Amino acid sequence: MIQLNKITVYFGGQSLFNDITFMVNKGERIGLVGKNGAGKSTLLNVMSGDLAPNAGSISTSKNYEISYLTQDLDFTDGETVIDEAQTAFKKVKKLQWDLKEAQNALATRTDTESDAYIDLIAIIGEMEEAFIAMDGYNLEAECSRVLQGLGFLVEDFDKQTNTFSGGWRMRIELAKILLQKPACILLDEPTNHLDIESIIWLEAWLQDYPGSVILVSHDRTFLDAVTNRTIEIVSGQIYDYKAAYSKYVQLREERLSIQLQAKKNQDQHIKQTEKLIEKFRYKASKAAFAQTLIKKLAKLDRVEIDATDNSTMKFRFPPAPHSGKVTIEAKNIYKNYDSLEVLKDVSLSVNKGDKVAFVGKNGEGKTTLARIIARDLDYKGDLKLGHLVNVGYYAQNQSDLLDDKMTVLEAVDKSATEQTSSQVRALLGSFLFSGDTVEKKISVLSGGERARVALCKLLLTPVSLLIMDEPTNHLDMRSKEILKQALVHYDGTLIIVSHDRAFLQSLTDKVYEFKNQQIKEYIGDVTAFLEARNVTDLKALEMARLKAKPTKDKTESAHQMDYKAKKALRKSHRKLKNKCGRLEKEVDELEKELKQYDDDLLDPVKFKELSAEPGFFSNYDAKQKKLADLMEDWEGAVQELERLEAQKVTKED
């Protein structure tokens, strides 16, 4: 459990958060949402302990472990992929070493009747139990399963980590976090460097994970699949919804609608009351009545509307210049990076107005072919662009290519032509840069703000072929939707590389899958591609794999026990069994009670009624805490019961 109490963070005199309070319970999967720059990553930094708040406190349960995957990591070289991944098992490896040392020490002793010998046997038994509880006998298999789930091939395991790109090394860091299995995982944009199949695998893993997950993601489909709670950050405040993203959007609209109607009704009531006061306050016979109305009005709790920030980008791509019917004609394209063959005998044809998606695992050549078409990379083969075709290229790291020393205005103005220089400020305003914000240095911008600057630069020159490589990275939900609609209305030819399923839906009319140095064409959008490839079945397949994990051997080494010891064991077993039954009943009753509360909170009418009850939410939080404590007690009792049952069977055999 994590408790954030009145957290306040400010930078340069400006408040980012103000008195934020909420609790993270065991097993909750929370999506942090909000506009770019709202403070989502900062909040994760505070929760991880990497950033101290200016005010407030964070408390956790005893021995509570938090692992954090940040967007900016410093990688270390000198290890293979498998060795680096296995650094996640430091505690288990140490226990394994200590257990081996203790077993060796036991084998050399001859004082089998001494108390020290018996004590050593007991210590070894405890260490074996701890090793089994940590799944120590399945470390290598688990490591291999996670790495392969995140896209690594078995032959990659013995390669040095520094031979992989930053995106692949980020996957290794993600694998280490998953393998550590801490009490809480913090993930900042985990899907940015994953392909569709790896994202689906990660969804299944997180759904089956018993700990808490708090993540920042702009992938709507991923959020819906993984989360069961959404916390929105708006203007330094948070709004908490017990629902995944799509349901949160619906609940938020309903909540705002109810608030607006309530405020409208209250404003009307206040207006009528003020009229009565004005009418009667100067009449001697009605003066007392007027004073009563004044006092009632002063005591009235005013309806407040939740803070909203509705500012959004507003833009469209300029009309595509006239060009020939055929946009791209590529035949027998080959591309090698030294001894690594990425594309082999690839051919494709793209006509004017086509909207094409490049999909497939990372490293299969999507970006490589996009760069070849953009004339940004040499190759072997024959590639021709159609008559009068000019290309606009948005690289995967386009926002990172901006000059940190420049201001926003300078960076965009640098890309303007003589014809478009007068449009720069208006265009920046469309991308939410106006007034003093255009004088911000690129170095201080958030990832989403940098992406908006890069997009703005792209619009200064009309093009007939637009190539966009992962353009949604770092963009918030509303910005992504606006970009999607701009691309839908773009009248030129589009090639887009993306792993975002929600973004690609209904955007393209053709999909090229990259696999084994080849490409395969699918007609339709990403949904049609997934249906044709049965990729959605990967989730069910992975769930089956997770359930088919090797059964843990919980038996202990057999040792003789006298009658009294066996009797004590049976007594302990009986007491634990009764305790488990009692705790299960308490947990079940409390879960039913809280589920009813959650269902009521989703109902706008009941939500309003419950909100009006004094102390309702403090009572609700207390019950959540009690449930978490009961679950912790129950899990400990069950583990002890399983240990005793295995011991009982072994001893009595």
Side-chain angles (χ1 to χ4, degrees), residues 526-592:
V526 70
T527 303
F529 159 70
L530 290 173
E531 289 173 354
R533 281 275 284 106
N534 291 321
V535 174
T536 50
D537 289 341
L538 288 176
K539 188 180 294 185
L541 176 62
E542 188 53 39
M543 292 303 291
R545 286 177 181 164
L546 290 172
K547 291 176 181 177
K549 286 181 181 178
T551 305
K552 296 177 184 178
D553 180 12
K554 296 184 185 255
T555 60
E556 295 181 63
S557 301
H559 300 292
Q560 289 293 331
M561 292 182 66
D562 58 21
Y563 172 75
K564 288 184 179 180
K566 288 182 180 180
K567 185 177 179 180
L569 180 62
R570 285 194 293 269
K571 184 178 179 181
S572 297
H573 178 267
R574 186 167 58 253
K575 287 177 67 176
L576 267 175
K577 196 170 183 179
N578 291 337
K579 182 180 179 181
C580 287
R582 175 177 57 79
L583 288 171
E584 281 178 12
K585 186 177 179 181
E586 289 184 45
V587 167
D588 185 56
E589 290 174 354
L590 195 52
E591 282 182 335
K592 287 179 181 178

Side-chain angles (χ1 to χ4, degrees), residues 193-253:
H193 302 286
L194 300 181
D195 49 65
I196 290 175
E197 293 187 17
S198 295
I199 291 172
I200 292 173
W201 180 89
L202 181 59
E203 285 175 4
W205 194 96
L206 291 174
Q207 286 166 354
D208 200 51
Y209 177 60
S212 302
V213 178
I214 304 162
L215 65 93
V216 173
S217 177
H218 296 133
D219 187 329
R220 179 174 185 154
T221 307
F222 184 71
L223 284 171
D224 279 339
V226 173
T227 63
N228 54 21
R229 180 178 170 191
T230 301
I231 293 179
E232 181 186 27
I233 304 175
V234 183
S235 303
Q237 300 296 319
I238 64 166
Y239 298 90
D240 199 341
Y241 297 82
K242 309 295 184 183
Y245 183 81
S246 293
K247 185 66 176 176
Y248 136 75
V249 173
Q250 178 187 337
L251 291 173
R252 183 175 181 275
E253 292 303 315

Side-chain angles (χ1 to χ4, degrees), residues 34-53:
K35 295 192 65 176
N36 292 131
K40 302 183 294 296
S41 296
T42 300
L43 186 55
L44 289 185
N45 279 319
V46 170
M47 295 178 73
S48 70
D50 291 347
L51 177 67

Side-chain angles (χ1 to χ4, degrees), residues 235-379:
S235 303
Q237 300 296 319
I238 64 166
Y239 298 90
D240 199 341
Y241 297 82
K242 309 295 184 183
Y245 183 81
S246 293
K247 185 66 176 176
Y248 136 75
V249 173
Q250 178 187 337
L251 291 173
R252 183 175 181 275
E253 292 303 315
E254 291 174 358
R255 188 171 179 171
L256 286 172
S257 178
I258 291 169
Q259 288 178 344
L260 288 169
Q261 187 58 49
K263 187 169 189 336
K264 183 179 178 182
N265 294 339
Q266 189 181 70
D267 288 346
Q268 188 175 2
H269 169 70
I270 291 170
K271 188 176 180 181
Q272 290 172 345
T273 303
E274 287 174 340
K275 282 183 179 180
L276 288 173
I277 292 170
E278 191 64 29
K279 183 177 180 180
F280 296 126
R281 71 190 306 170
Y282 300 113
K283 294 183 179 180
S285 60
K286 300 289 185 180
F289 174 63
Q291 287 301 314
T292 301
L293 293 178
I294 291 171
K295 290 178 182 177
K296 284 185 177 180
L297 210 56
K299 293 179 180 178
L300 184 66
D301 288 332
R302 303 299 173 110
V303 175
E304 294 185 2
I305 305 298
D306 288 348
T308 55
D309 185 353
N310 295 318
S311 56
T312 56
M313 295 191 301
K314 297 176 183 177
F315 77 96
R316 283 197 174 192
F317 288 96
H322 177 71
S323 61
K325 183 178 179 180
V326 176
T327 300
I328 304 168
E329 193 68 50
K331 294 181 180 179
N332 312 119
I333 301 297
Y334 289 81
K335 178 59 186 177
N336 291 10
Y337 292 100
D338 297 326
S339 60
L340 177 63
E341 189 172 47
V342 179
L343 298 175
K344 180 180 179 181
D345 198 20
V346 167
S347 299
L348 81 160
S349 179
V350 178
N351 293 324
K352 181 180 179 181
D354 283 351
K355 286 185 167 61
V356 178
F358 285 179
V359 302
K361 290 185 176 182
N362 289 354
E364 293 286 356
K366 303 184 300 296
T367 294
T368 295
L369 186 56
R371 290 181 62 191
I372 287 172
I373 295 171
R375 305 299 194 191
D376 191 45
L377 198 62
D378 61 353
Y379 61 95

Side-chain angles (χ1 to χ4, degrees), residues 502-548:
F503 183 76
L504 289 175
Q505 280 179 343
S506 305
L507 177 57
T508 63
D509 46 43
K510 189 186 297 183
V511 173
Y512 281 106
E513 181 191 19
F514 286 65
K515 189 174 183 180
N516 299 328
Q517 298 91 43
Q518 301 289 312
I519 63 173
K520 184 176 181 180
E521 180 184 287
Y522 295 84
I523 301 302
D525 70 351
V526 70
T527 303
F529 159 70
L530 290 173
E531 289 173 354
R533 281 275 284 106
N534 291 321
V535 174
T536 50
D537 289 341
L538 288 176
K539 188 180 294 185
L541 176 62
E542 188 53 39
M543 292 303 291
R545 286 177 181 164
L546 290 172
K547 291 176 181 177

